[in-house]
């Protein structure tokens, strides 16, 4: 669930890269980074933290050049080492910087291949560094030994080599010094990636981003999504080159993007996220009406923020008032992506405070986008009861999350999922609700595909257990469980990476 940005334009790109990072900050709060190039050198600033804390005026002044890539990171597995902040960089061939959203499912095999066959040393545990080194190796193989430049065809041949070797989910932005900025998307189109243009007095600026909202806010026109298995290259002359580089691509975007991850004002794969959430609320409310026609719900209250859109529609369909019952502290991060159960538990009560008058003496239907561990839901229900609610019903706009997501979303280990090996009644008791309603998977798929019938298939593996890439084994899932349990997420001592081959902007001097 990282955010990636790539920009090439006629002027300096440091400010638009920073602005875009802030717009996609919801996709990653662990670390942020920007790398730019002026055609001769590359300039890097990255560190742990939010973009606003990583970049100060003194850093921005030193991020020179008219092309660059940026990344907002959150860790799929444990650890918060600064060395794993992105973009990553290698100086051969040409100088390549890469930012990656997703997860390689054959990372262990690739790590071994890089050492034994490609003679490449890795400095982190990040699969993004693996992806960068494979692309660099394939690009070196694709170009003529005496060539000082890479043609678009060379770049696309290198990406074809990446697709042949790298399995899993990835949306990638790449800057190649002397060549341009490129983006490519996995063969199933699991992770999102969009492309836009902006015409200015100085010329045309090109931008790749994880979500269309970044294009909107910066004044770019959304041209289209990158297609599954497609690479898109903007060269230094501002010319766009594209090629589908993967064999037999299959369009199956991640449905959890629409449930929770993406901003509601984004459009991904021609699907308006806000509208899908309206449809989710409509479908779920109609399910409640069918299952419980004589319900005694007095008021519908969302768990802010993602579920608001669905909750409004549910109130309309159920003919019950919609009310804001919780006030959210905007300075607390998303609990879904916080490492460790202790920190998540502590943050919930710091983040949400109930308005007692909206609960006292009422039977309330609380609406959330999903239920993952169940601990947050349980605390929210406790808050509602403490505020005086009569009965507390709970509704999830998504189906039960019973399986880990292995395509770049930090869902917990299987044992930590509240829905694993539990039916709805057992989950209801576990979270302390008087009644619990889940969206049906077919209804969720319909809610999303209704907005673009051309997209007929989605990765819904965390709900169904059916992994779209077809290469997931029980042994792999067992390894994911070991890496994602809360014990594994205890922070470790940070390691520092020697980046002597680039100009890294230090964090020294007074804050600007």
């Amino acid at each position: 669930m990282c955010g990636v940005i790539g920009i090439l334009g006629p002027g300096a790109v440091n400010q638009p890269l920073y602005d875009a990072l802030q717009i996609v900050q919801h996709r990653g709060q662990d670390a942020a980074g920007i790398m730019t190039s002026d055609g001769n050198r590359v300039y890097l600033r990255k560190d742990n933290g939010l973009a606003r804390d990583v970049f100060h005026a003194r850093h921005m002044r030193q991020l020179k050049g008219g092309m660059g890539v940026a990344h907002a990171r959150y860790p799929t597995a444990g650890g918060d080492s600064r060395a794993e902040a992105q973009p990553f960089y290698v100086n051969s061939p040409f100088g390549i910087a890469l930012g990656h959203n997703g997860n390689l499912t054959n990372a262990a095999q690739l790590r071994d291949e890089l050492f034994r066959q490609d003679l490449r040393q890795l400095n982190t545990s990040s699969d993004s560094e693996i992806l960068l080194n494979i692309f660099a190796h394939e690009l070196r193989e694709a170009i003529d030994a005496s060539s000082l430049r890479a043609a678009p065809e060379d770049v696309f041949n290198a990406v074809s080599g990446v697709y042949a070797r790298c399995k899993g989910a990835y949306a990638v932005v790449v800057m190649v010094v002397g060549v341009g900025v490129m983006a490519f998307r996995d063969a199933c189109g699991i992770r999102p990636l969009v492309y836009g243009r902006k015409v200015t007095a100085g010329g045309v600026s090109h931008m790749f981003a994880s979500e269309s909202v970044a294009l909107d806010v910066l004044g770019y026109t959304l041209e289209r999504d990158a297609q599954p298995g497609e690479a898109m290259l903007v060269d230094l002359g501002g010319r766009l080159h594209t090629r589908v580089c993967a064999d037999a691509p299959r369009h199956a975007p991640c449905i959890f993007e629409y449930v929770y991850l993406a901003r509601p004002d984004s459009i991904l794969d021609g699907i308006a996220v806000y509208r899908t959430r309206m449809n989710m609320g409509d479908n779920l409310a109609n399910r409640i009406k069918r299952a419980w026609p004589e319900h005694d719900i007095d008021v519908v209250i969302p768990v802010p923020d993602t579920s608001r859109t669905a909750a409004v529609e549910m109130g309309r369909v159920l003919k019950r008032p919609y009310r804001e019952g919780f006030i959210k502290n905007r300075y607390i991060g998303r609990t879904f992506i916080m490492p460790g159960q202790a920190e998540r538990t502590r943050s919930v009560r710091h983040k949400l405070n109930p308005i007692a008058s909206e609960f006292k003496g009422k039977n309330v239907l609380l609406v959330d986008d999903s239920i993952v561990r169940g601990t947050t839901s349980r605390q929210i229900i406790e808050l509602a009861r403490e505020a005086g609610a009569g009965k507390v019903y709970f509704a999830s706009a998504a189906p039960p999350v019973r399986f880990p997501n292995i395509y770049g979303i930090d869902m917990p280990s299987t044992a930590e999922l509240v829905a694993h090996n539990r039916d709805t009644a057992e989950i209801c008791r576990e979270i302390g609700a008087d009644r619990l309603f889940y969206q049906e998977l077919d209804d969720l798929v319909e809610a999303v595909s209704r907005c673009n019938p051309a997209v007929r298939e989605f990765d819904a593996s965390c709900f169904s257990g059916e992994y779209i890439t077809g290469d997931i084994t029980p042994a792999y899932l067992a390894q994911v469980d070991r890496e994602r349990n809360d014990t594994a997420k205890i922070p470790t001592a940070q390691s520092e990476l020697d980046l002597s081959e680039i100009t890294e902007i230090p964090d020294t001097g007074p804050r600007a």
Side-chain angles (χ1 to χ4, degrees):
M1 202 182 84
C2 299
V4 296
I5 305 291
I7 299 178
L8 187 150
V13 297
N14 53 353
Q15 189 65 49
L17 285 169
Y18 172 77
D19 293 340
L21 270 187
Q22 290 199 306
I23 295 164
V24 300
Q25 187 77 84
H26 61 285
R27 301 188 67 88
Q29 302 169 3
D30 182 68
I34 294 175
M35 179 174 276
T36 62
S37 175
D38 59 7
N40 297 309
R41 301 183 67 179
V42 294
Y43 306 88
L44 170 67
R45 170 62 182 167
K46 63 178 180 177
D47 207 343
N48 287 345
L50 302 175
R52 69 186 182 204
D53 300 318
V54 171
F55 300 98
H56 306 155
R58 62 183 181 275
H59 306 129
M60 298 298 293
R61 283 192 293 268
Q62 297 177 69
L63 288 168
K64 304 171 185 178
M67 67 175 180
V69 292
H71 188 270
R73 175 185 183 266
Y74 96 116
T76 303
D80 64 346
S81 169
R82 174 182 172 270
E84 296 199 0
Q86 298 182 44
F88 285 119
Y89 175 82
V90 291
N91 62 6
S92 177
F94 308 118
I96 303 170
L98 178 145
H100 164 223
N101 172 33
N103 183 53
L104 300 184
T105 56
N106 62 337
Q109 170 194 335
L110 294 171
R111 184 178 297 275
D112 185 66
E113 286 180 7
L114 280 168
F115 180 74
R116 295 181 183 277
Q117 300 176 22
D118 302 345
L119 305 180
R120 287 180 173 265
Q121 174 65 38
L122 299 177
N123 290 296
T124 73
S125 61
S126 172
D127 61 342
S128 304
E129 190 187 13
I130 294 173
L131 192 58
L132 168 62
N133 276 272
I134 287 177
F135 174 74
H137 174 81
E138 295 295 331
L139 184 57
R140 176 68 268 182
E141 293 292 306
I143 60 178
D144 183 89
S146 61
S147 177
L148 298 179
R149 286 288 181 268
E153 190 71 13
D154 299 325
V155 175
F156 292 146
N157 288 339
V159 176
S160 295
V162 171
Y163 283 120
R165 297 177 68 178
C166 297
K167 311 303 178 186
Y170 41 91
V172 181
V173 291
V174 183
M175 177 180 69
V176 184
V177 179
V179 177
V181 172
M182 180 185 63
F184 58 92
R185 191 179 183 191
D186 64 79
C188 292
I190 298 172
R191 300 265 66 86
L193 188 63
V194 299
Y195 163 70
R197 299 168 71 251
K198 178 169 68 173
V199 179
T200 67
V204 179
S205 182
H206 303 261
M207 180 174 174
F208 301 102
S210 291
E211 296 187 28
S212 68
V213 62
L215 304 177
D216 298 339
V217 176
L218 271 66
Y220 286 74
T221 299
L222 172 62
E223 297 291 333
R224 65 181 181 87
D225 297 82
Q227 296 304 302
E230 181 183 33
M232 307 178 73
L233 169 67
V234 180
D235 65 25
L236 295 182
R239 294 174 291 270
L240 175 67
H241 310 265
T242 68
R243 192 171 97 183
V244 175
C245 299
D247 295 333
R250 173 185 181 185
H251 199 183
C254 174
I255 205 165
F256 209 74
E257 289 281 351
Y258 304 96
V259 171
Y260 174 80
L261 301 183
R263 271 182 46 159
D265 44 347
S266 281
I267 299 174
L268 306 178
D269 289 302
I271 298 171
V273 176
Y274 179 80
R275 180 62 62 176
T276 68
R277 292 175 184 169
M278 289 181 64
N279 295 344
M280 290 174 205
D282 181 70
N283 288 352
L284 183 55
N286 279 303
R287 180 171 183 273
I288 292 173
K289 286 176 66 175
R290 292 192 301 270
W292 192 19
E294 303 302 323
H295 68 81
D296 61 352
I297 298 167
D298 295 318
V299 63
V300 177
I301 294 176
V303 176
D305 285 314
T306 320
S307 63
R308 277 199 174 99
T309 308
V312 168
E313 280 301 290
M314 293 183 71
R316 181 187 65 80
V317 174
L318 293 171
K319 295 182 170 54
R320 293 295 184 270
Y322 166 93
R323 293 288 184 268
E324 291 286 342
F326 294 103
I327 298 302
K328 184 177 182 179
N329 182 345
R330 302 291 174 185
Y331 301 97
I332 302 290
R334 296 176 111 176
T335 55
F336 179 86
I337 61 176
M338 286 183 175
Q341 185 56 43
E343 187 171 353
R344 285 189 299 270
T345 300
R346 182 171 62 252
S347 71
V348 172
R349 285 180 176 266
H350 292 180
K351 183 171 71 172
L352 297 177
N353 192 52
I355 301 173
S357 61
E358 298 303 326
F359 290 93
K360 191 171 183 179
K362 299 176 183 177
N363 296 335
V364 299
L365 175 64
L366 301 180
V367 181
D368 208 349
D369 51 77
S370 57
I371 305 172
V372 182
R373 294 171 179 88
T375 51
T376 299
S377 303
R378 181 164 55 248
Q379 290 182 77
I380 290 170
I381 290 168
E382 290 172 359
L383 287 174
R385 295 196 190 280
E386 291 168 7
K391 293 180 180 179
V392 182
Y393 309 122
F394 207 90
S396 168
V401 177
R402 302 189 187 278
F403 306 93
N405 183 290
I406 48 80
Y407 295 129
I409 303 175
D410 187 26
M411 287 187 177
S413 66
T414 304
E416 294 167 353
L417 296 170
V418 70
H420 181 67
N421 286 336
R422 289 189 178 100
D423 61 24
T424 301
E426 291 170 326
I427 301 167
C428 186
R429 289 192 294 271
E430 181 69 20
I431 66 175
D434 291 296
R435 197 155 182 167
L436 173 62
F437 300 93
Y438 274 110
Q439 187 90 257
E440 295 288 339
L441 181 54
D442 287 347
D443 287 343
L444 175 61
V445 171
E446 189 279 332
V448 180
S449 62
R450 191 191 313 174
C451 299
N452 182 4
V455 183
R456 301 182 179 89
E457 187 178 19
F458 297 90
D459 174 70
S461 51
C462 59
F463 307 123
S464 67
E466 298 175 6
Y467 294 95
I468 206 76
T469 54
D471 60 343
I472 305 306
T473 65
Y476 180 84
L477 293 176
Q479 179 63 30
V480 169
D481 275 356
R482 287 191 292 272
E483 293 173 351
R484 292 190 180 180
N485 67 71
D486 278 333
T487 301
K489 293 181 181 179
I490 298 173
T492 56
Q494 294 186 10
S495 62
E496 296 297 332
L497 181 64
D498 180 11
L499 296 172
S500 56
E501 69 269 55
I502 64 175
T503 302
E504 182 173 9
I505 300 165
D507 189 15
T508 57
R511 179 167 181 166

